């Protein structure tokens, strides 16, 4: 008998074009391109909309997948059959799983087994409780579901899948949430990261067990063989992979490009491992994950692998996996009061198990209740691994449509409530009371040389030579060494997966970042600071701050306050090009500097780096630099003068202080557009005279210090005088100097936060080659002019520097 049914022919890869009568959506390649573009646009828009709620991107990707599936847009069958037809699913699922394979390899790279071995008993106990109680509750829930919406499923695998789904904590998602909430440096953050890492490993072991049990083989011996072969594979990899990759890592020195052969070989090993584990019957993802875990984390090789793989995988292919999950999720399958009641029961059981288990053991470990509760809420975070578990269960026939939809929604809800609930219950107390913090400025009455602390910030190795030379110039010598230096490496938390690796490595924020082991000397920043410490007597205490750019200023301000710093040094948002002009590094750093200037707990300086001391560290015996202080008057200039006087204590620093005075008798009203007798001007001049007198009393015997007074008739003459004195190595100037002479220079400029003199010194017309330090003295409340300069809209300012031309 001949069957009347016909099978759809397989999709061809490419079409011949619409002019040949082909519909591109009937061909695999153009269809998958449309699918990828649709996924990227929707998930990025959702991520942007959820950003004010401080939600991790995985939430946007899960919601995007659900919206594209039959739960929302897929209700329109025309759309579903056109954009996501069933015959295109093998191609989409293959791409999604290939991307997931390499992403799990990256996740394995993030997990450091050595740090797990050092996990304390407290974190281990919390992790065990955070797995055990939810797993037990999951087993209980499995019996309820099996008697209602999951009738007829295989009991053994279903119990294990439910237990694993309820007990997972998503380590990468948790790391991002902790970084967003500024909790990485707290005891709660460190404990949560350690416990989540242990939980992650345990979840993979349990998932391997669940996959082994869910095979279609009828004999129990099949599951045993799968488990034994999987264990043998892991043991074999443990002996073979580390030596091979250590050999590769030794041939990839820091700062040198990684040989393409090594990268290709690694990716080939990942694919081969995936094939082996898939052949065994425990899914290809396990092989990739095991290879990632076993690759040594020291040196440049692991970082180079992440850089080469992550953007394409996590940015392009991984969102496809969420869509693949969303197409299997039909919220409409949850019908009736019973099903919705079961959804509420599953969510409550998942939350109660994680929170109660974690809080109970934490309290026994003498953790305070609010910290224990925060730990419980953080451990309740789900994510990608949860979806992997559910998808494997769905593909193996262990989870039906309704159970799958219930568990996907459970993962979504529990992760969504994590951030707001933690914010509500846990607010880490500041360790430092404001009353304990006295010396917030360098300037002290009589130019005292009592000990003070400086807080340097930098974005990368580009800033290091000038910073180290500036520290050298600031340290004084012999009996006058009064400097303590704290250096903060500002690292941006991006949406890239490698930022999670960065977070993992810097869990001990606030600690010297080179005290991590015997093989960390390859880090260029570490080498630079260690070399400087050996050549000088200054102890540098570096810290790492990992945060989004929008909140980076909070890390800087809180770090300076906790270290009781007298001055913060910020890098300018522009760097020097080869032609001598300044070029924007990243425009967002400008907003960071503005916010620090507004909220800083001490004095602040912005460093315009033009190579102070050259491109390498200059030893103390070879320092020979000319530093110029431009003094117009006002509190900021007092601070700049105090810093200049402090630098002049170094025998290799020659200091020139140039005080600008207005010739009132000759002043031209056209060039000085100001009321001469403005309120407070007499008092300000009197204070300036007093500060200059103190400076002279202290330094009059020093031959390396020169004091000059320049009397000028107009702002044009002042600009010309600044040009004359700019031939030096470093110029110090107040950010918002005071007085009638400066008022005429307060014009709209490219960088209002630099102040009138700072803008003059970065003007290409003036052709200054010296590095510039623009100083703002700490005051409880900034002046009206200082605040206004930080609020000016950068789009309204002019960029014409011709106003500074003296011709």
């Amino acid at each position: 008998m001949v069957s009347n049914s016909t099978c759809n022919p397989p999709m061809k890869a490419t079409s011949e074009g619409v002019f040949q009568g082909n519909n591109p959506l009937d061909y695999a390649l153009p269809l998958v391109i449309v699918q990828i573009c649709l996924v990227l646009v929707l998930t990025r828009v959702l991520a942007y909309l959820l950003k004010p709620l401080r939600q991790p991107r995985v939430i946007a990707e899960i919601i995007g997948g659900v919206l594209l599936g039959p739960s929302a847009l897929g209700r329109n069958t025309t759309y579903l059959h056109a954009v996501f037809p069933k015959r295109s699913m093998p191609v989409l699922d293959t791409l999604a799983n290939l991307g997931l394979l390499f992403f799990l390899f990256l996740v394995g790279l993030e997990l450091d087994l050595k740090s797990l071995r050092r996990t304390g008993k407290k974190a281990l106990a919390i992790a065990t409780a955070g797995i055990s109680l939810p797993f037990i509750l999951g087993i209980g829930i499995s019996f309820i579901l099996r008697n209602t919406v999951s009738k007829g499923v295989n009991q053994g695998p279903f119990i294990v899948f439910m237990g694993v789904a309820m007990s997972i904590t998503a380590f990468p998602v948790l790391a991002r949430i902790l970084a967003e909430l500024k909790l990485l440096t707290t005891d709660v953050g460190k404990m949560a990261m350690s416990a989540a890492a242990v939980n992650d490993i345990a979840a993979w072991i349990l998932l391997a067990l669940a996959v082994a049990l869910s095979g279609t083989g009828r004999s129990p011996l099949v599951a045993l063989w799968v488990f034994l072969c999987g264990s043998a594979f892991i043991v074999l990899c443990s002996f073979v992979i580390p030596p091979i990759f250590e050999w590769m890592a030794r041939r990839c020195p820091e700062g040198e490009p990684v040989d393409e052969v090594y990268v290709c070989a690694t990716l080939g090993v990942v694919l081969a491992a995936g094939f082996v584990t898939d052949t065994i019957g425990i899914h290809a993802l396990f092989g990739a994950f095991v290879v990632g875990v076993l690759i040594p984390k020291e040196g440049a090789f692991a970082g180079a692998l992440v850089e080469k793989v992550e953007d394409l995988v996590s940015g392009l292919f991984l969102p496809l996996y969420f869509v693949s999950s969303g197409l299997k999720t039909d919220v409409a399958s949850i019908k009736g009061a019973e099903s919705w009641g079961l959804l509420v029961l599953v969510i409550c059981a998942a939350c109660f198990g994680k929170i109660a288990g974690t809080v109970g053991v934490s309290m026994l470990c003498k953790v305070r209740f609010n910290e224990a509760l925060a730990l419980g809420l953080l451990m309740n975070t789900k994510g990608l691994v949860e979806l992997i578990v559910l998808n494997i269960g769905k593909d193996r026939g262990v989870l039906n449509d309704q159970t799958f939809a219930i568990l996907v929604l459970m993962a979504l809800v529990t992760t969504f409530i994590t951030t707001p609930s933690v914010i509500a219950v846990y607010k880490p107390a500041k360790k430092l009371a404001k009353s304990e913090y006295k010396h917030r400025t360098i300037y002290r009455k009589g130019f005292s040389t009592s000990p003070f602390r400086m807080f340097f910030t930098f974005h990368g190795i580009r800033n290091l030579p000038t910073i180290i030379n500036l520290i050298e110039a600031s340290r004084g010598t012999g009996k006058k060494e009064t400097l303590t230096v704290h250096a903060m490496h500002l690292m941006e938390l991006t949406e890239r997966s490698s930022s999670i690796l960065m977070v993992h490595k810097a869990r001990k924020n606030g600690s010297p970042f080179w005290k991590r082991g015997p093989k960390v000397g390859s880090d260029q920043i570490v080498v630079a600071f260690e070399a400087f410490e050996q050549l000088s007597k200054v102890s540098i205490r570096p810290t790492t701050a990992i945060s989004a750019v929008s909140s980076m200023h909070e890390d800087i301000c809180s770090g300076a306050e906790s270290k009781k710093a007298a001055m913060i040094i910020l890098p300018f948002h522009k760097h020097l090009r080869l032609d001598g002009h300044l070029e924007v590094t990243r425009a967002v750093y400008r907003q960071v500097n503005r916010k620090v200037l507004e909220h800083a707990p001490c004095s602040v300086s912005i460093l315009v780096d033009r190579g102070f001391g050259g491109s390498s560290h200059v030893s103390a015996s070879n320092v020979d630099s000319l530093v110029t202080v431009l003094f117009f008057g006002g509190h900021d200039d007092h601070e700049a003068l105090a810093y200049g006087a402090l630098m002049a204590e170094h025998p290799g620093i020659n200091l020139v202080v140039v005080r600008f005075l207005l010739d009132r008798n000759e002043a031209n009203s056209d060039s000085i557009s100001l009321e001469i007798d403005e309120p407070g001007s007499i008092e300000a001049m009197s204070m300036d005279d007093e500060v200059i007198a103190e400076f002279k009393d202290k330094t009059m015997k020093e031959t390396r210090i020169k004091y000059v007074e320049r009397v000028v008739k107009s702002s044009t003459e002042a600009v010309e005088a600044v040009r004359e004195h700019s031939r030096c190595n470093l110029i110090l100037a107040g950010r918002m100097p005071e007085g009638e002479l400066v008022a005429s220079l307060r014009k709209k400029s490219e960088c209002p936060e630099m102040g009138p003199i700072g803008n003059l010194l970065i003007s290409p017309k003036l052709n200054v080659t010296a590095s510039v330090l623009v100083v703002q003295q700490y005051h409880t409340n900034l002046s009206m002019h200082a605040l206004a300069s930080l609020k000016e809209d950068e789009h309204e300012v002019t960029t014409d520097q011709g106003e500074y031309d003296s011709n």
Side-chain angles (χ1 to χ4, degrees):
M1 182 176 177
V2 180
S3 173
N4 292 325
S5 62
T6 56
C7 295
N8 288 325
M11 297 182 78
K12 290 183 178 180
T14 58
S15 73
E16 296 177 3
V18 291
F19 298 111
Q20 299 290 338
N22 291 161
N23 181 358
L25 296 183
D26 291 335
Y27 296 83
L29 181 61
L31 180 59
V32 83
I33 290 172
V34 170
Q35 291 170 343
I36 291 173
C37 292
L38 182 62
V39 170
L40 290 180
V41 170
L42 182 61
T43 53
R44 293 291 172 167
V45 169
L46 287 171
Y48 178 78
L49 294 175
L50 291 172
K51 198 169 186 180
L53 300 177
R54 303 176 86 170
Q55 293 295 329
R57 197 172 79 186
V58 67
I59 290 287
E61 289 170 333
I62 294 174
I63 293 174
V66 172
L67 290 178
L68 287 172
S71 302
L73 294 175
R75 289 179 174 277
N76 185 329
T77 54
T78 305
Y79 149 81
L80 196 63
H81 292 153
V83 182
F84 293 102
K86 282 190 176 180
R87 60 188 186 137
S88 76
M89 287 300 101
V91 176
L92 184 66
D93 285 345
T94 301
L95 280 176
N97 279 282
L98 188 63
L100 186 65
L101 183 93
F102 284 110
F103 184 77
L104 264 293
F105 165 67
L106 296 178
V107 172
L109 276 175
E110 294 163 12
L111 279 173
D112 189 356
L113 292 179
K114 292 180 181 177
S115 67
L116 286 182
R117 293 192 198 109
R118 296 192 294 269
T119 300
K121 293 180 180 178
K122 189 185 293 187
L124 190 59
I126 291 170
T128 304
I131 296 170
S132 304
L133 185 56
F135 194 89
I136 293 168
L137 288 174
I139 292 173
I141 293 289
S142 70
F143 286 104
I144 298 173
L145 292 176
R146 198 161 174 269
N147 291 324
T148 51
V149 297
S150 296
K151 292 178 181 177
V153 297
N154 193 341
Q155 183 173 352
F158 185 63
I159 287 173
V160 180
F161 267 102
M162 283 300 301
V164 174
M166 300 283 273
S167 59
I168 281 174
T169 295
F171 171 76
V173 180
L174 175 65
R176 182 170 299 285
I177 289 174
L178 288 170
E180 286 282 348
L181 297 181
K182 305 292 183 188
L183 295 179
L184 278 170
T185 59
T186 64
D187 293 336
V188 169
K190 293 173 186 175
M191 192 74 67
M193 288 283 281
S194 298
V198 174
N199 192 303
D200 221 28
I201 293 294
W204 281 101
I205 294 170
L206 290 170
L207 180 57
L209 176 63
V211 172
L213 290 173
S214 66
T216 55
R218 291 177 176 81
S219 170
L221 286 175
V222 172
L224 180 62
W225 273 112
V226 169
F227 191 74
L228 289 176
C229 289
S231 302
F233 169 77
I234 293 173
V235 171
L236 179 65
C237 288
S238 300
F239 284 103
V240 173
I241 288 180
I244 292 174
F245 283 97
E246 282 176 5
W247 178 84
M248 287 186 186
R250 284 195 298 271
R251 281 154 179 76
C252 300
E254 186 79 35
E256 295 293 328
V258 175
D259 197 321
E260 184 188 358
V261 173
Y262 297 148
V263 177
C264 291
T266 305
L267 299 181
V269 169
V270 172
L271 292 171
F275 174 79
V276 171
T277 51
D278 189 76
T279 304
I280 291 171
I282 52 172
H283 210 288
L285 302 179
F286 284 93
F289 179 73
V290 168
V291 172
V293 168
L294 293 176
I295 287 180
K297 308 300 186 286
E298 296 86 4
F301 186 62
L305 286 175
V306 171
E307 285 182 9
K308 290 179 181 298
V309 175
E310 68 170 337
D311 284 341
L312 182 66
V313 170
S314 60
L316 197 64
F317 291 125
L318 192 61
L320 295 181
Y321 191 77
F322 293 98
V323 173
S324 178
S325 302
L327 291 170
K328 299 171 189 173
T329 306
D330 188 2
V331 176
S333 65
I334 307 174
K335 297 175 182 176
E338 181 186 62
S339 295
W340 286 103
L342 287 171
L343 172 61
V344 174
L345 177 65
V346 169
I347 293 172
C348 291
C351 294
F352 177 78
K354 276 289 182 187
I355 296 169
T358 304
V359 170
V361 173
S362 299
M363 296 290 285
L364 290 176
C365 294
K366 298 180 180 178
V367 177
R368 289 184 300 175
F369 177 73
N370 68 325
E371 292 184 350
L373 184 57
L375 265 176
L377 293 167
L378 288 166
M379 296 296 286
N380 200 31
T381 304
K382 310 293 184 190
L384 180 64
V385 181
E386 174 86 2
L387 283 187
I388 293 170
V389 171
L390 300 181
N391 275 285
I392 293 175
K394 182 82 162 55
D395 295 339
R396 297 292 175 102
V398 178
L399 305 176
N400 62 20
D401 290 346
Q402 197 167 346
T403 309
F404 181 80
I406 287 173
L407 293 176
V408 168
L409 291 180
M410 178 270 289
L412 190 60
V413 171
T414 52
T415 307
F416 192 90
I417 64 175
T418 298
T419 301
S421 57
V422 171
I423 292 173
V425 304
Y426 183 66
K427 294 178 176 64
K430 283 192 173 183
K431 297 179 181 178
L432 185 71
K434 290 221 172 189
S435 58
E436 298 174 9
Y437 184 10
K438 294 178 182 177
H439 300 305
R440 297 172 181 267
T441 63
I442 291 179
Y443 173 70
R444 322 247 173 100
K445 199 73 173 173
F447 287 80
S448 167
T449 57
S450 57
F452 73 100
R453 295 176 174 88
M454 295 190 70
F455 194 85
F456 288 80
T457 63
F458 59 98
H459 295 292
I461 58 174
R462 186 201 300 270
N463 310 123
L464 284 186
T466 292
I467 285 177
I468 289 177
N469 290 329
L470 192 57
I471 294 171
E472 172 64 46
S474 306
R475 73 184 182 93
T477 55
K479 296 178 181 178
K480 292 185 178 181
E481 286 185 8
T482 58
L483 178 65
T484 302
V485 173
H486 298 273
M488 178 175 276
H489 187 189
L490 303 173
M491 303 175 78
E492 183 182 351
L493 182 71
T494 66
E495 292 293 342
R496 300 176 73 182
S497 58
S498 66
S499 64
I500 306 303
L501 178 63
M502 180 175 67
V503 167
H504 179 58
K505 287 185 174 181
R507 284 184 301 168
K508 295 183 178 179
N509 269 6
S511 303
F513 52 66
W514 63 66
K515 313 280 186 192
R516 292 198 303 252
K519 294 185 180 180
V520 292
S522 60
D523 191 303
Q524 295 180 46
I525 295 172
V526 173
V527 170
F529 281 129
E530 284 185 332
F532 178 69
E533 282 200 315
Q534 290 172 5
L535 292 170
S536 69
K537 296 180 181 179
V538 178
S539 175
I540 303 178
R541 300 170 190 177
T543 58
T544 304
I546 301 168
S547 57
V549 173
S550 59
S551 58
M552 197 174 278
H553 68 285
E554 296 174 10
D555 282 335
I556 298 171
C557 293
S558 60
E561 187 161 7
S562 65
K563 305 301 181 187
K564 300 183 181 180
M567 179 176 281
I568 299 170
I569 307 288
L570 299 171
F572 191 42
H573 70 279
K574 296 183 180 183
H575 67 267
L576 193 67
R577 292 191 319 211
L578 292 175
D579 61 3
H581 289 86
L582 294 170
E583 180 181 51
V584 173
T585 306
R586 280 203 65 196
V588 288
Y589 291 153
R590 179 185 180 192
Q591 298 305 319
V592 174
N593 290 352
R594 283 184 164 198
K595 288 176 181 176
V596 173
L597 286 166
E598 186 175 355
H599 302 289
C602 60
S603 295
V604 184
S605 295
I606 297 179
L607 175 63
V608 181
D609 183 2
R610 290 193 177 105
F612 176 55
S615 59
S616 60
H617 168 229
V618 180
S619 61
S621 58
N622 294 328
V623 172
D624 183 17
S625 297
L626 176 61
V627 177
T628 301
V629 177
L630 304 179
F631 190 96
F632 288 84
H635 295 289
D636 290 354
D637 279 17
H638 300 170
E639 190 76 356
L641 180 62
Y643 189 24
L646 186 142
M647 294 177 76
E649 293 173 3
H650 193 294
I653 299 293
N654 296 286
L655 180 68
V656 176
V657 178
V658 184
R659 186 182 185 187
F660 292 85
L661 297 171
L662 179 65
D663 186 347
R664 293 171 180 262
N665 298 325
E666 299 283 335
N668 186 333
S669 59
D670 292 333
S671 57
I672 306 293
S673 53
L674 172 84
E675 299 271 338
I676 294 294
D677 297 321
E678 65 176 0
S681 61
I682 304 299
E683 296 173 16
M685 286 186 64
S686 175
M687 187 176 291
D688 292 342
D689 292 338
E690 186 179 330
V691 169
I692 290 292
E694 289 176 9
F695 169 75
K696 287 180 176 178
D697 288 342
K698 184 195 174 194
T699 61
M700 60 188 301
K701 296 179 182 178
E702 295 284 348
T703 56
R704 292 176 294 101
I705 299 176
K706 183 180 178 183
Y707 174 74
V708 179
E709 287 189 355
R710 290 293 300 264
V711 180
V712 295
K713 300 176 183 179
S714 65
S715 58
T716 304
E717 283 192 19
V719 169
E720 188 57 39
V722 168
R723 190 200 299 272
E724 289 176 21
H725 289 282
S726 66
R727 298 179 184 90
C728 57
N729 303 103
L730 177 68
I731 301 175
L732 299 176
R735 189 176 85 84
M736 297 302 290
E738 300 168 16
E740 50 266 40
L741 182 59
V742 176
S744 62
L745 295 172
R746 285 183 190 146
K747 301 173 182 178
K748 283 191 175 182
S749 53
E750 188 180 1
C751 301
E753 72 276 8
M754 295 292 286
I757 308 304
N759 270 288
L760 177 62
L761 294 170
I762 63 174
S763 163
K765 291 287 185 180
L766 211 63
N767 200 25
V768 174
T769 57
S771 293
V772 177
L773 203 63
V774 177
V775 183
Q776 172 182 281
Q777 189 180 60
Y778 169 77
H779 280 282
T780 309
N781 296 306
L782 293 178
S783 68
M784 182 182 66
H785 282 305
L787 273 175
S789 68
L790 300 177
K791 302 296 183 184
E792 279 188 47
D793 187 351
E794 58 190 284
H795 299 296
E796 294 180 0
V797 299
T798 61
T799 56
D800 181 15
Q801 302 291 351
E803 61 195 13
Y804 296 130
D805 194 351
S806 60
N807 295 325

